[in-house]
Amino acid sequence: MSILVIAEHDNDSIKSSTLNTVTAALAIADDVTVLVAGSNCQSAAQSAAKISGVSKVLVADNPAYANQLAENMRGLIVELAEGKSHILAPATTSGKNIMPGVAALLDVGQISEIIKVESADVFERPIYAGNAVAKVQSLDTIKVITVRTTAFEEAGDTGSASIEQVAAVCDAGKSTFIGEAVVVSERPELTAAKIVISGGRGMGNGENFSLLEAVADKLGAAVGASRAAVDAGFVSNDMQVGQTGKIVAPDLYIAVGISGAIQHLAGMKDSKVIVAINKDEEAPIFSIADYGLVADLFEAVPELEASL
Amino acid sequence: MKVLVTVKRVIDYNVKVRVKADGSDVDLNNVKMAMNPFCEIAVEEAIRLKESGTATEVIAVSVGPKACQEQLRTALALGADRAIHIESEAQLESLNVAKLLAKVIEQEQPGVVILGKQAIDTDNNQTGQMLSALTGMAQGTFASKIDIQGDKAVVIREVDGGLQTIELAMPIIATTDLRLNEPRYASLPNIMKAKRKPLEVKTPEELGVSIKAHTKLLSVGAPAERKAGIKVASVAELVDKLKNEAKVI
Ligand SMILES: Cc1cc2nc3c(=O)[nH]c(=O)nc-3n(C[C@H](O)[C@H](O)[C@H](O)COP(=O)(O)OP(=O)(O)OC[C@H]3O[C@@H](n4cnc5c(N)ncnc54)[C@H](O)[C@@H]3O)c2cc1C
């Protein structure tokens, strides 16, 4: 068995989602190759070579891969698929964008967002917003898989893999990157943070999120949101936690002014400790919270900040 | 220009699904079914393309058992012009559906195909991307804005870091994210009118697609339940618990 892991990176460094994916790959087999496809991405390749357990890094360094457009990436990955038993990518928006096309070109199925490796061809994955867990067996010779990053630890950085350049250039010419409105924040990344504090519709408006930010800064936490808060324009879409947003599983998740709809719970119920602050004592969020505080958030959150 | 929009019949998003006692699957008996919410957004976008004069015809497609026609009628009531039902009782996987849709695209030659980014039952998030690979059409997934400008389309995508803008050569496949639009409701007169709109039924055999299984469902279990914890009386008690009991701060 030989596994290809598609790295997520920004050309300079490897994103932590790649480290979780390598751990999932190593649970399947020992022979793990990482593909770093980008433009001027040699330094990302260098850091990929240091991931523990990786035996080889393939680097496809070409402008065609600068923004990892799906049409170009899937062409490249299919060329590199020969002899591979599994192709894995993190179940991030990037991996989700690329991998199903890879599967289709290889005429195989995709197993999305695995949370457990049972054997080389049996995996567990959540379905129905995480209200059920399916155990599925792949019947294909090449298994195309995306990995729920919160379900696997990050691989270490003690590796010394060989680096090999790949010459193949796949430019489908269908799609052009125009720009990106990336939200820059000094705070930790939502999906990798040890503590997350999220606000919902109860926050009332975007300015009030500064109450959460003040707590986040004291705790070194990331700030998240419910769909309702994003839809209302309080905060940007990259902060949405849930079934159809980001999946988080921090040590501590603090839900503020969030009712606890199943779609929101799907994104945070695997957190170690859950705190809910809500003025409605009947709010469903309390049924999964370790510590519930029935209170007006506009009093409780500033008090919390002051006491940290 | 034709717009093709896909519609999946799924469990209603308000219903919390239960696992069957024998662990073979989820129990959908007597469960309320509805159009997948992301497909509602797709239908809305297709109709708006027609209303703005960009599209001339909206064709709704659904793949699955006969009951899917209910969701196709909903799409017709919302404003689709005609519907195609690809009838199959089989357990269909994304690649099966994508292959069937690719055949419909071959026949209908739409300029834009809009799908939901994921269905809330399997949560797979695959079909649109597979369809793009099979047809060679460009893909704009997780779209929060679709702007057709002649022979190209500018799509704004919801990505982990924020928003990404890409330009695609037409024809395109787009998949919808939550902020693309707010779907309308069907009016009673339109629901009545929809009953007379054309709905064509095809089979996978007629389309020349054989349904192959790529995975086998071994079992379905309930996720680990979280037990409700305690209510704390004050912020001070909360901070104390987090520090000294949970030891997370
Ligand atoms: C297809 C689909 C996908 C979805 N995906 C997601 C997803 O990924 N993530 C997600 O979060 N949702 C998702 N949703 C939406 C979900 O169903 C809920 O609508 C949403 O989570 C509600 O957000 P909320 O809890 O902030 O708002 P509400 O349900 O309106 O709850 C607001 C809460 O704030 C409390 N509150 C108000 N004022 C105060 C105050 N002053 N002090 C204390 N508490 C206060 C209220 O008591 C209430 O409990 C999805 C829905 C669909 C249909």
Side-chain angles (χ1 to χ4, degrees):
Chain A
M1 283 189 292
S2 175
I3 304 178
L4 182 66
V5 168
I6 314 306
E8 189 166 348
H9 62 90
D10 60 4
N11 293 313
D12 283 329
S13 57
I14 294 287
K15 299 239 166 108
S16 60
S17 57
T18 308
L19 307 179
N20 308 108
T21 308
V22 167
T23 299
L26 289 167
I28 301 170
D30 291 336
D31 180 6
V32 175
T33 299
V34 171
L35 169 68
V36 177
S39 181
N40 292 321
C41 59
Q42 298 296 334
S43 68
Q46 297 287 344
S47 43
K50 296 196 183 83
I51 303 174
S52 307
V54 173
S55 31
K56 187 158 75 177
V57 174
L58 296 175
V59 194
D61 194 342
N62 188 282
Y65 311 125
N67 302 101
Q68 280 112 48
L69 295 169
E71 295 84 351
N72 301 353
M73 287 293 290
R74 68 187 177 219
L76 171 69
I77 295 167
V78 167
E79 283 200 25
L80 302 173
E82 210 188 291
K84 298 291 176 219
S85 56
H86 300 74
I87 307 177
L88 271 63
T92 54
T93 50
S94 175
K96 288 173 181 173
N97 190 39
I98 297 166
M99 295 298 271
V102 172
L105 293 178
L106 293 170
D107 199 24
V108 300
Q110 173 178 303
I111 301 185
S112 294
E113 296 222 25
I114 61 163
I115 54 171
K116 193 173 167 201
V117 174
E118 182 97 358
S119 71
D121 61 352
V122 178
F123 308 92
E124 283 187 7
R125 59 177 304 265
I127 52 176
Y128 291 88
N131 288 308
V133 177
K135 190 182 283 190
V136 288
Q137 180 172 26
S138 166
L139 306 175
D140 291 314
T141 46
I142 303 185
K143 294 154 184 55
V144 174
I145 292 168
T146 62
V147 175
R148 177 166 289 192
T149 56
T150 51
F152 298 88
E153 298 287 323
E154 289 180 12
D157 58 358
T158 58
S160 55
S162 60
I163 299 183
E164 193 178 301
Q165 306 291 324
V166 176
V169 179
C170 299
D171 191 347
K174 300 264 177 193
S175 174
T176 317
F177 174 83
I178 303 290
E180 209 158 29
V182 178
V183 183
V184 264
S185 159
E186 296 293 303
R187 295 189 193 90
E189 239 187 272
L190 192 52
T191 49
K194 291 258 180 285
I195 302 179
V196 173
I197 181 163
S198 290
R201 199 195 310 269
M203 296 305 297
N205 60 44
E207 286 81 70
N208 290 336
F209 266 74
S210 62
L211 299 172
L212 304 186
E213 288 162 5
V215 176
D217 288 340
K218 286 208 167 158
L219 292 174
V223 181
S226 70
R227 174 192 174 180
V230 178
D231 281 6
F234 299 173
V235 291
S236 53
N237 64 281
D238 53 289
M239 288 168 64
Q240 182 182 315
V241 171
Q243 179 188 16
T244 62
K246 285 185 179 148
I247 308 292
V248 302
D251 293 341
L252 173 61
Y253 187 90
I254 308 174
V256 182
I258 292 177
S259 61
I262 52 175
Q263 292 85 5
H264 188 79
L265 303 188
M268 45 64 79
K269 70 181 166 60
D270 292 328
S271 306
K272 285 209 189 79
V273 175
I274 296 174
V275 169
I277 301 176
N278 196 306
K279 68 176 177 189
D280 172 13
E281 65 177 316
E282 302 289 316
I285 189 81
F286 286 124
S287 70
I288 62 144
D290 300 284
Y291 303 108
L293 177 62
V294 181
D296 188 319
L297 71 93
F298 294 104
E299 285 162 21
V301 176
E303 195 185 330
L304 174 63
E305 196 239 305
S307 59
L308 291 171
Chain B
M1 181 186 78
K2 292 182 191 173
V3 178
L4 197 76
V5 62
T6 60
V7 169
K8 187 176 183 186
R9 176 182 171 88
V10 298
I11 188 169
D12 184 277
Y13 80 93
N14 283 309
V15 178
K16 187 170 168 189
V17 79
R18 260 197 295 275
V19 172
K20 281 185 187 165
D22 66 359
S24 59
D25 206 340
V26 295
D27 190 356
L28 293 181
N29 266 326
N30 300 316
V31 164
K32 187 174 172 216
M33 303 294 277
M35 190 190 295
N36 178 41
F38 287 100
C39 301
E40 288 180 345
I41 299 172
V43 171
E44 176 67 32
E45 195 66 13
I47 296 164
R48 289 189 192 185
L49 283 174
K50 188 176 173 197
E51 285 169 348
S52 69
T54 311
T56 49
E57 188 183 25
V58 175
I59 309 160
V61 191
S62 189
V63 184
K66 188 155 180 79
C68 295
Q69 292 187 10
E70 197 185 321
Q71 278 62 48
L72 283 173
R73 288 292 170 202
T74 305
L76 292 168
L78 288 165
D81 297 294
R82 62 187 168 94
I84 300 171
H85 174 213
I86 304 171
E87 192 171 353
S88 170
E89 298 290 334
Q91 274 297 330
L92 295 165
E93 298 176 31
S94 304
L95 186 59
N96 305 136
V97 174
K99 285 185 178 178
L100 291 164
L101 294 174
K103 288 289 178 188
V104 176
I105 290 175
E106 208 176 289
Q107 293 173 353
E108 299 285 350
Q109 298 286 319
V112 177
V113 181
I114 314 179
L115 303 84
K117 79 165 178 180
Q118 84 192 58
I120 60 163
D121 49 2
T122 58
D123 281 334
N124 270 326
N125 197 331
Q126 299 176 356
T127 307
Q129 298 87 313
M130 289 181 162
L131 192 53
S132 163
L134 294 176
T135 59
M137 291 160 76
Q139 78 181 40
T141 53
F142 327 146
S144 69
K145 188 161 193 262
I146 303 171
D147 188 9
I148 312 289
Q149 309 173 346
D151 60 356
K152 60 178 202 203
V154 175
V155 176
I156 300 182
R157 308 181 50 233
E158 292 201 7
V159 294
D160 287 337
L163 295 172
Q164 182 192 65
T165 306
I166 54 173
E167 190 180 286
L168 305 175
M170 296 281 281
I172 63 158
I173 310 254
T175 75
T176 62
D177 217 318
L178 294 168
R179 262 69 62 177
L180 182 61
N181 59 49
E182 254 185 71
R184 72 193 68 186
Y185 294 97
S187 69
L188 203 57
N190 284 343
I191 292 170
M192 300 311 291
K193 256 194 262 167
K195 295 190 172 142
R196 291 187 304 274
K197 286 188 179 175
L199 190 158
E200 192 185 348
V201 181
K202 298 182 191 226
T203 63
E205 295 74 46
E206 282 163 19
L207 291 167
V209 176
S210 56
I211 305 297
K212 182 183 166 204
H214 296 275
T215 58
K216 188 173 163 198
L217 184 62
L218 299 179
S219 64
V220 174
E225 281 295 323
R226 273 195 97 96
K227 49 176 181 20
I230 57 160
K231 291 254 169 65
V232 290
S234 65
V235 170
E237 189 188 345
L238 174 63
V239 172
D240 176 63
K241 293 280 185 203
L242 292 178
K243 275 193 179 142
N244 302 316
E245 192 174 87
K247 297 190 169 62
V248 284
I249 59 169

